[in-house]
Amino acid sequence: MWTGSRATVAAVLMIFAGSAQAGTEDEVKAQFSKFVAAQNAHDLKAVSDMLLDSPQFLWITRGAPIWGREAALKRFEVLYQGTWSLDPKTDELKVFELQPGVAQLYVPITFMIAPAGQTAQPARFLMTQLLVKTPGGWKISSVLPIPVPMQ
């Protein structure tokens, strides 16, 4: 009888653990989808709401670190004056729950980037984001795009 109870408890725990992972994955994917839409709309307020309000927020861009949400928003504001759009390969998007409340997202993505008045050229990146769950929902705590050659 005790063995059966252990097996039942183990099965129930596995079901709930799977649900937590599936819930995290769905929530993080939804947050990323909102992030892409806000970026493509050049909606600085929406992007601001998605970034972790912390001096430890990190975005690596063009080989340089940008620390803190406010510094990142200033950089996005400049980029939004030109062409700035994201096209992720969502069929290759992966989410890994590192621990409860912390997830890593990976996705190949194509950026169209150009200063105002210039023709945008596609640039391909492998992007990872680290997200943390806060009382206000999932927040992006780092954005790490790694450039790769266009194929």
Side-chain angles (χ1 to χ4, degrees):
M1 183 94 165
W2 178 250
T3 304
S5 295
R6 278 192 203 169
T8 301
V9 169
V12 169
L13 288 174
M14 286 174 35
I15 288 168
F16 283 119
S19 296
Q21 172 58 31
T24 294
E25 183 175 349
D26 292 343
E27 292 169 7
V28 168
K29 284 181 176 181
Q31 182 71 346
F32 180 72
S33 182
K34 290 178 191 174
F35 177 75
V36 170
Q39 287 278 343
N40 288 343
H42 298 188
D43 185 342
L44 201 58
K45 169 73 171 105
V47 171
S48 174
D49 292 344
M50 290 180 233
L51 303 182
L52 187 66
D53 188 8
S54 167
Q56 283 78 38
F57 170 85
L58 173 62
W59 171 29
I60 306 281
T61 178
R62 299 180 187 239
I66 295 180
W67 290 99
R69 181 174 78 170
E70 293 309 312
L73 292 173
K74 286 178 185 173
R75 179 72 179 134
F76 281 130
E77 188 173 30
V78 170
L79 292 169
Y80 291 168
Q81 293 172 12
T83 300
W84 175 264
S85 65
L86 315 178
D87 182 19
K89 294 186 92 176
T90 54
D91 60 322
E92 294 183 37
L93 188 147
K94 296 181 188 299
V95 175
F96 307 94
E97 186 172 29
L98 302 175
Q99 66 182 41
V102 180
Q104 183 175 12
L105 176 141
Y106 159 85
V107 64
I109 194 165
T110 301
F111 286 80
M112 293 296 288
I113 306 169
Q118 294 186 18
T119 303
Q121 298 296 318
R124 187 165 181 266
F125 291 83
L126 301 177
M127 178 188 285
T128 66
Q129 291 184 346
L130 192 63
L131 295 95
V132 295
K133 192 163 193 174
T134 70
W138 286 96
K139 302 291 181 182
I140 301 165
S141 67
S142 69
V143 180
L144 307 171
I146 302 163
V148 295
M150 292 296 292
Q151 296 176 339

